[in-house]
Amino acid sequence: MRTKPKILLTGGTGQLGRMLLKQIDYEDFHIDILTRNKIIDTIKNVGHLNADLTKVETLSPLRLGYDIIIHCASDPKNSESIDIQGTQNLLKSIKGDRTKNFIYISIVGVDKSTFPYYRNKLKTEKLIVNSGIPYTILRITQFHDFIYDRILSTTRSEDELTTAPDGLKFQSIDLIDVCGEILGLLKIKATNSTIQIGGPEILKISDITKNYQEVIRPEKKISLIPPHNDFQKLFTTGINLCPNHKTGKITWRDFLIKK
């Protein structure tokens, strides 16, 4: 009987991790989720490793070895600890001679920005590249969910008139399409390179809000105002786009229709 490759998934309780667990074929792999949560929903054929990336002493079970690491864990508010230190601890703890592919989920534009979270994501990438472990870095544009939950968050108010930051452009991508790319990486050898993927279209914020109004809130009036912080301004620069790497089929409007 063929032995199933063992996968360790970090960030398995996040948006991307949860969607990936819905998409993966459990006939082909054995999966363990590394999580700090002692109480977590049981998923058939999925194991749980209670550990904390920031506490290297809790990671000793990783010495048992995994064939593939899918490293999704990240925290924009605590990236020094979770992203940088957590990845250092993970790399130190895994049995490197068994691991055939360390797949790291990063963000398009981290190499072009001084935004602190992006700088720390780039530092984390370099840790992986310099580790000597076979790797694939997957840089992704913003998820559709990010646009809906963060950029357009104020539109869920009961006020008839609301605002959104002007001048922003996005090449957002659906979680299902991202999972398809990750599942494809599980079937090939580590590329030892950085891959970029983005959604199937690039939209201005005016088009994004127009689609939102048409599909979700036709009664809502959205006024565009200048971006008011560095985070919003980042998305006016174009560094978050990868027009030569359009991926997937689910558009922003398709995503809204599913809501």
Side-chain angles (χ1 to χ4, degrees), residues 136-191:
T136 305
I137 293 171
L138 185 62
R139 289 182 184 165
I140 308 169
T141 58
Q142 284 64 47
F143 303 145
H144 292 324
D145 300 77
F146 171 87
I147 310 299
Y148 188 87
D149 294 331
R150 295 286 302 277
I151 303 300
L152 300 182
S153 59
T154 59
T155 61
R156 250 77 77 207
S157 71
E158 295 303 318
D159 298 332
E160 181 181 349
L161 177 64
T162 189
T163 62
D166 196 9
L168 283 62
K169 288 184 180 180
F170 291 97
Q171 189 181 345
S172 58
I173 189 168
D174 197 87
L175 286 166
I176 291 176
D177 286 333
V178 174
C179 290
E181 291 296 311
I182 295 173
L183 295 178
L185 293 177
L186 300 182
K187 300 174 183 178
I188 63 174
K189 293 182 179 179
T191 65

Side-chain angles (χ1 to χ4, degrees), residues 43-244:
I43 304 173
K44 188 177 180 181
N45 299 320
V46 175
H48 296 97
L49 175 63
N50 288 120
D52 187 336
L53 287 173
T54 66
K55 298 177 181 178
V56 71
E57 66 273 12
T58 70
L59 301 177
S60 57
L62 300 186
R63 295 293 182 189
L64 296 174
Y66 288 89
D67 301 290
I68 301 171
I69 311 289
I70 306 175
H71 188 23
C72 299
S74 185
D75 186 348
K77 296 180 180 179
N78 194 19
S79 56
E80 286 276 357
S81 178
I82 300 299
D83 293 77
I84 297 177
Q85 188 60 54
T87 301
Q88 283 180 327
N89 292 341
L90 180 60
L91 291 167
K92 187 187 301 182
S93 300
I94 62 176
K95 191 176 181 181
D97 58 349
R98 173 168 175 172
T99 301
K100 300 298 186 291
N101 198 356
F102 190 108
I103 300 171
Y104 179 56
I105 306 304
S106 190
I107 307 170
V108 168
V110 294
D111 56 333
K112 300 174 183 177
S113 174
T114 58
F115 191 66
Y117 177 49
Y118 277 34
R119 281 198 313 234
N120 286 341
K121 292 291 281 188
L122 184 61
K123 289 178 182 178
T124 303
E125 288 185 4
K126 291 178 179 179
L127 288 173
I128 295 164
V129 171
N130 295 329
S131 70
I133 296 172
Y135 70 91
T136 305
I137 293 171
L138 185 62
R139 289 182 184 165
I140 308 169
T141 58
Q142 284 64 47
F143 303 145
H144 292 324
D145 300 77
F146 171 87
I147 310 299
Y148 188 87
D149 294 331
R150 295 286 302 277
I151 303 300
L152 300 182
S153 59
T154 59
T155 61
R156 250 77 77 207
S157 71
E158 295 303 318
D159 298 332
E160 181 181 349
L161 177 64
T162 189
T163 62
D166 196 9
L168 283 62
K169 288 184 180 180
F170 291 97
Q171 189 181 345
S172 58
I173 189 168
D174 197 87
L175 286 166
I176 291 176
D177 286 333
V178 174
C179 290
E181 291 296 311
I182 295 173
L183 295 178
L185 293 177
L186 300 182
K187 300 174 183 178
I188 63 174
K189 293 182 179 179
T191 65
N192 292 320
S193 68
T194 298
I195 299 170
Q196 293 193 115
I197 62 169
E201 58 185 357
I202 295 174
L203 294 177
K204 297 177 180 179
I205 192 68
S206 56
D207 297 317
I208 289 169
T209 54
K210 181 181 178 182
N211 282 319
Y212 176 81
Q213 289 170 299
E214 291 173 348
V215 177
I216 304 292
R217 300 291 297 272
E219 81 288 355
K220 180 72 71 172
K221 296 177 182 178
I222 302 176
S223 175
L224 298 180
I225 62 173
H228 66 272
N229 56 41
D230 289 341
F231 177 68
Q232 292 179 353
K233 290 175 183 177
L234 186 154
F235 302 113
T236 68
T237 64
I239 67 168
N240 58 310
L241 310 175
C242 54
N244 295 326

Side-chain angles (χ1 to χ4, degrees), residues 8-12 32-36 49 51-53 59 62 90:
L8 178 72
L9 172 64
T10 75
D32 286 339
I33 300 174
L34 190 153
T35 176
R36 291 179 294 183
L49 175 63
D52 187 336
L53 287 173
L59 301 177
L62 300 186
L90 180 60

Side-chain angles (χ1 to χ4, degrees), residues 11-23:
T13 58
Q15 275 187 326
L16 179 56
R18 292 198 307 271
M19 182 61 74
L20 187 61
L21 290 169
K22 292 179 182 179
Q23 303 294 320

